[in-house]
Every structure is written in structure tokens, then in C-alpha cells.
Amino acid sequence: MTDSQLQRLVAQLHEWARELGFQALGITDTQLDLPADRLGAFLEQGRHGSMQWLENHQEKRRHPALLELGTFRVISVRMDYWTDSDAKANLQNQERAYISRYALGRDYHKMMRRRLAQLADKLRAEVESSTLGRAFVDSAPVMEKPLAEKAGIGWQGKHTLIINKKAGSYFFLGEIYTDIPLPIDTPASNHCGTCTACITACPTAAIVAPYELDARRCITYQTIENKGAIDLELRPMMGNRVFGCDDCQLVCPWNKFAQFSENDDFKPRHSLDQSSLAELFLWSENDFLDRTQGSAIRRAGYEGWLRNIAVGLGNGPFTPTVIQALEQRRGFSALLDEHIDWALKRLLE
Ligand code: SF4
């Protein structure tokens, strides 16, 4: 294809992406040496905790063409999910459960992957010689954040998430690996400057240095990935955050530019943005399975969900309803009982 044909194809690609509900698209090459070194250091220091899968397929992560033979370019896309402007008020209400805003609605993975696959199909249909167009949404060893930065979607902030100057950081990322030699975009430049708001705001001091996260201290890791007991040191710091945490994003000055999503999939379901901890703690296992169908919250599992809420209740105000709810849940598992004991001791002290 000639340069001008490729340029026209890129313009078309942007249009298709908009039609499919993506808010931005960028293109980059496959050189990832420096970010791969940073990942290596993160793993060497054990900061990934029990997320063993991050240790796997490191070469494929580092070299996209090893994951998908023939990959020459990576297309990175952004999809905004922010729907609630009242997150800070929710977080400050200690009787309410705070659920990370990305998880209030339907899980994004399937929907976004389906749309990305459609985008990949449209692209491949335009170039006869192309045999590759694979879509990923958090589904394979792909370095999505460094790729997004290289593709100009945004820069990796000191909290390690991607930030866009015009859209903040409340968005999901996805990628298409392609063999079409599309022109690449300019990488995003960093605009954190002297700001350290996210480092100061992190409730558990998980951002151990600018651009360095110790996942083991991160509330998102503790409430979702950790299947065992939550570290005693961290429990009082978690407050009412029962599934993920948004604090580093809530304080980021760039999020005053966050765009509201028009995608109905991301609207809060089952009033999860307004539920009390005590109310959610009384969900039966069937309630949990029913109400988290198609939701990211499923990942915590019922026991993990109760464990997290027990910690939230222990950090909240003493009320007879809370004590009764905690007492009522005894006997589900040794893990949960231990967290209930911790919460009751804290409340009755
Ligand atoms: S809060 Fe400040 S330091 Fe942290 S990511 Fe945002 S701009 Fe960068």
C-alpha cells in the first residue's frame, strides 16, 4: 500500500472506532524494551504478590510478534467508563460500601473485545494481504499501558495508570495486533510535573515511589486478587473500600477533564453506588451470584466479598445493626470468622 492509502486507512480506522464506541485510538510499533525492564524489576521485587500469571510469558509480553506471529503494529484504543460524579461523597460515607467506579456496571471485557474484534475485521477486510488482526482486552500477556503511552493515548502517571490530558484516567484500554504497516503516532508526553497528589492520597501507601506500585499494598489487589486473609496492618487503612479503590484517580487533577460515558453497560447496577455495607453483607450466596452476573465483582468470589465487607464494617461506625449483621454471618468459613472477629473487636473496643 502507498503512504497515502495507509493515511486514508488510518482516518477510516478512527471513524470506525468512534462508531463502535471508542473515544480514542492510537498506533505504535512493537519496541517495548524499557517497559519490559520495569516489569522485570517489579516482578523481581515480588511486588506482584500472588498474581503468578504476570511471571508467565514474559518474552511474549516484551515482544508482541512472539505472541502473534507477524505483528508489526499495535492499535491501542480507549473506552471511557465514568458515570458517577458523586464518588467522593460515597467514599466519605463510612456506612456505605465503596466499590471502584469501573465495577459498578456490567463487566467491560466481553463487550469491548467484541467491538474491538469488529474493528479488526473491518481493517483486515480493507487490506487483502493482511492475515492478522487479533483483539485483546486484558486477555493475554500484553503490555497495555506502555503500548497505550507509545500510541499517544496518554502517559503513565505516577500512580502507574494512563492519563489523557483531555479525558483524565477513567477509561479501559484494548489492543489490536496487526501486520499492516500503518503509520505510527507520537508517544504521549508526561504531564505529572511536580504533582504527588496520588502518592499522598493512597490509603495504604502502595505507590512506594513515583511510577512504582507495590501491588501487595494496593487495595485493588487486596480486595480482588488476594484470596486469603487481608494483612492486619492494611485493614484499618481500607476504610469502606470493598472492591477496588479509586483514591489515586479521585485526587488526580487531570480527572477534572474526565468524560462521562454514554455507554449504558457502565451505569451502576443494583444500586451498588448507594448501598450500605450492612445491606450488602446480608446478601446470600444466591443473591451474590444473581446480582453479580456479568459483573467484575464476581472475581472476588462470595467469600472474598464478605471478607472485604467485614473489614469495611469494622472500620465504620458502631451500630446495633452492624453488630447483628456481623454476628449473623459467623460460621460461613474460618477465613470470614477471623475477619468478623477483627471487625467486632474493633467496634466493641
Ligand atoms: S495525581 Fe498528580 S502525580 Fe499522580 S498521576 Fe495525577 S498528575 Fe500524576
Side-chain angles (χ1 to χ4, degrees):
M1 288 179 92
T2 64
D3 285 354
S4 60
Q5 283 173 321
L6 287 168
Q7 291 291 358
R8 275 202 300 278
L9 186 56
V10 170
Q12 180 71 76
L13 197 54
H14 279 271
E15 204 177 310
W16 290 328
R18 264 193 304 277
E19 286 165 8
L20 286 164
F22 298 107
Q23 280 72 43
L25 176 148
I27 300 161
T28 186
D29 61 26
T30 59
Q31 300 302 311
L32 282 170
D33 291 340
L34 200 68
D37 289 349
R38 288 205 296 260
L39 175 68
F42 171 83
L43 294 172
E44 254 170 49
Q45 292 170 85
R47 288 178 173 168
H48 58 307
S50 61
M51 296 185 285
Q52 296 295 323
W53 67 90
L54 284 171
E55 290 173 23
N56 303 334
H57 309 300
Q58 282 198 57
E59 281 307 293
K60 288 182 180 170
R61 246 181 241 284
R62 186 188 283 260
H63 302 290
L66 290 181
L67 180 65
E68 279 299 324
L69 201 64
T71 303
F72 191 66
R73 293 286 186 254
V74 178
I75 299 166
S76 175
V77 294
R78 177 190 114 212
M79 186 179 273
D80 299 339
Y81 64 76
W82 190 248
T83 57
D84 179 17
S85 57
D86 218 15
K88 286 183 186 166
N90 271 272
L91 186 59
Q92 278 155 15
N93 183 339
Q94 291 296 300
E95 289 186 44
R96 283 224 180 137
Y98 187 86
I99 291 167
S100 184
R101 304 292 99 172
Y102 85 86
L104 290 174
R106 189 171 283 281
D107 192 358
Y108 62 98
H109 290 90
K110 268 194 204 158
M111 174 272 291
M112 202 168 152
R113 202 180 162 281
R114 196 175 54 241
R115 294 193 191 187
L116 255 187
Q118 281 176 263
L119 186 60
D121 287 347
K122 281 174 181 281
L123 175 64
R124 227 178 21 210
E126 292 292 312
V127 185
E128 221 176 280
S129 58
S130 173
T131 55
L132 173 68
R134 181 150 175 220
F136 301 100
V137 179
D138 210 11
S139 53
V142 171
M143 297 192 78
E144 62 169 15
K145 289 187 270 189
L147 286 165
E149 184 171 86
K150 272 180 69 98
I153 295 291
W155 75 95
Q156 208 162 352
K158 289 180 187 170
H159 51 19
T160 75
L161 301 168
I162 296 291
I163 310 171
N164 181 284
K165 263 176 105 174
K166 293 185 183 149
S169 61
Y170 300 117
F171 50 77
F172 301 120
L173 296 169
E175 303 76 32
I176 295 172
Y177 281 14
T178 176
D179 53 0
I180 304 170
L182 299 165
I184 59 173
D185 286 294
T186 309
S189 50
N190 189 305
H191 297 276
C192 279
T194 56
C195 174
T196 52
C198 54
I199 299 175
T200 311
C202 178
T204 51
I207 308 169
V208 290
Y211 313 104
E212 285 186 42
L213 181 81
D214 188 337
R216 294 167 300 183
R217 296 191 67 85
C218 179
I219 293 174
T220 296
Y221 168 82
Q222 286 295 337
T223 55
I224 305 171
E225 302 301 338
N226 176 19
K227 301 299 173 204
I230 295 174
D231 196 319
L232 282 169
E233 181 211 345
L234 301 178
R235 290 183 201 179
M237 304 171 188
M238 290 168 56
N240 55 347
R241 301 163 188 83
V242 299
F243 188 89
C245 171
D246 292 326
D247 289 47
C248 62
Q249 300 192 84
L250 289 171
V251 297
C252 181
W254 292 104
N255 270 329
K256 62 174 172 276
F257 303 112
Q259 314 273 324
F260 282 96
S261 169
E262 284 168 17
N263 190 327
D264 285 345
D265 278 9
F266 301 144
K267 297 221 166 88
R269 303 202 300 172
H270 305 293
S271 306
L272 281 168
D273 56 333
Q274 293 165 34
S275 301
S276 74
L277 289 157
E279 197 182 328
L280 297 183
F281 198 58
L282 292 178
W283 279 10
S284 68
E285 190 156 10
N286 279 342
D287 292 336
F288 176 80
L289 293 174
D290 186 41
R291 294 170 194 172
T292 61
Q293 203 163 17
S295 149
I297 296 172
R298 269 283 175 95
R299 193 169 171 86
Y302 183 55
E303 185 185 47
W305 172 248
L306 293 178
R307 174 202 62 182
N308 300 344
I309 302 172
V311 172
L313 287 168
N315 289 328
F318 171 98
T319 70
T321 313
V322 166
I323 303 296
Q324 199 187 1
L326 284 163
E327 292 285 7
Q328 219 173 307
R329 273 270 163 253
R330 275 191 194 285
F332 179 82
S333 71
L335 177 80
L336 183 60
D337 282 355
E338 187 270 309
H339 288 76
I340 290 175
D341 289 345
W342 175 87
L344 285 169
K345 186 163 177 280
R346 206 167 146 76
L347 290 166
L348 297 170
E349 251 169 11

